[in-house]
Amino acid sequence: MANQLFFDQAIEVIQAIPVGRVTTYGHIARYIGTGQSARMVGWVLKNCSLLELPAHRVVNSSGLLTGKHAFPTITYMEEKLRGEGIEVNNDKVVRFKDLLWDPAAEL
DNA sequence: ACGGTGACCACTT
DNA sequence: TAAGTGGCCACCG
């Protein structure tokens, strides 16, 4: 595939997300260089949800768990996050701004 | 071949 | 402050 690079880069960044932290599609896309192709990040995640990617640590720019429907159960993502010390309330990450992990800044 | 859709984001009214 | 619009790229019917 021609977009294999994007694929690999995305996986690399996602796997680097520290436990107890979260990041967004936009930040990942931006770090890779695609910039505005945040949608593709979501596509990659869905395609790689079978791998060992901590996809549950990736949320949208509002801290909302938009991808929970791609998991075995709707609550799976939330439970997983809580298990790592991340509080989730009404499908959104609590103190999202504090837990946000920016690859460009910390990688 | 073509249009619609999607785990989205940022800028502009 | 809130809603609308464009852009991105791959997949599916």
Side-chain angles (χ1 to χ4, degrees):
Chain A
M1 280 176 127
N3 56 326
Q4 183 78 38
L5 179 63
F6 177 88
F7 200 84
D8 293 335
Q9 296 264 11
I11 292 175
E12 198 171 338
V13 174
I14 294 165
Q15 282 183 139
I17 303 174
V19 178
R21 303 290 293 281
V22 296
T23 192
T24 74
Y25 305 93
H27 279 98
I28 295 171
R30 224 179 234 267
Y31 178 75
I32 294 175
T34 53
Q36 296 126 236
S37 303
R39 295 182 105 132
M40 296 301 98
V41 178
W43 173 79
V44 170
L45 256 58
K46 180 174 180 153
N47 231 339
C48 296
S49 57
L50 307 177
L51 303 183
E52 303 178 15
L53 300 177
H56 53 273
R57 295 181 198 148
V58 183
V59 297
N60 72 350
S61 58
S62 306
L64 200 66
L65 308 188
T66 50
K68 63 176 185 176
H69 284 293
F71 288 83
T73 63
I74 305 298
T75 57
Y76 184 84
M77 191 172 183
E78 180 178 332
E79 294 294 323
K80 201 82 172 172
L81 288 173
R82 279 190 181 159
E84 296 181 356
I86 300 175
E87 293 181 49
V88 179
N89 186 296
N90 194 5
D91 291 347
K92 63 182 180 305
V93 176
V94 181
R95 290 186 281 290
F96 163 68
K97 199 172 161 53
D98 294 329
L99 298 175
L100 179 58
W101 178 77
D102 185 355
E106 305 196 36
L107 194 56

